[in-house]
Amino acid sequence: MAEPEFTATGVRIGKRLRSLTRAGQVRISGGRLELLTSYGSEIDSAPVQAVRASRPWFAPEDRALADLNGNRYLLTLGDHDPAPGEPGPPAARRFIEAVRKAAGRRR
């Protein structure tokens, strides 16, 4: 199995006003974006070419939006990248860049 291109753990994943998990995982691997619960079960997944990632307006720096299969998810990642070797989710900006890079898109 190939090494994931992007992985974030400890991510709060919500859909509209409902929280789906407070310690989920976001992974980009093999051209797919996967949203997983803290137990590893899949919430949703889609090819990265079909995913739209952006920052919500008027929201803290640690938030990102991901549109997958017609559903919009609010991801709460870290507000800054953790130090090397330290646990914690990477910044939302890195997630958005990783989606664009995996999909072969520029800004």
Side-chain angles (χ1 to χ4, degrees):
M1 187 170 184
E3 191 69 26
E5 299 161 25
F6 177 86
T7 302
T9 57
V11 178
R12 173 176 240 137
I13 301 173
K15 186 175 173 183
R16 300 208 175 164
L17 297 175
R18 191 173 131 220
S19 177
L20 300 175
T21 183
R22 293 186 310 188
Q25 185 176 13
V26 177
R27 184 174 20 187
I28 299 175
S29 179
R32 289 189 71 77
L33 172 70
E34 299 173 319
L35 303 177
L36 307 169
T37 66
S38 55
Y39 299 110
S41 8
E42 184 176 293
I43 295 171
D44 205 347
S45 72
V48 287
Q49 289 83 7
V51 174
R52 199 178 95 208
S54 61
R55 283 211 1 87
W57 289 16
F58 306 110
E61 290 287 319
D62 64 345
R63 306 257 167 92
L65 292 173
D67 293 329
L68 286 86
N69 302 323
N71 298 313
R72 178 171 285 177
Y73 297 95
L74 178 63
L75 310 176
T76 304
L77 298 122
D79 54 357
H80 63 281
D81 288 329
E86 293 293 318
R93 177 181 35 81
R94 271 205 38 232
F95 164 71
I96 295 168
E97 290 170 3
V99 169
R100 290 180 179 157
K101 180 180 173 187
R105 289 181 249 158
R106 298 274 183 213
R107 293 192 181 248

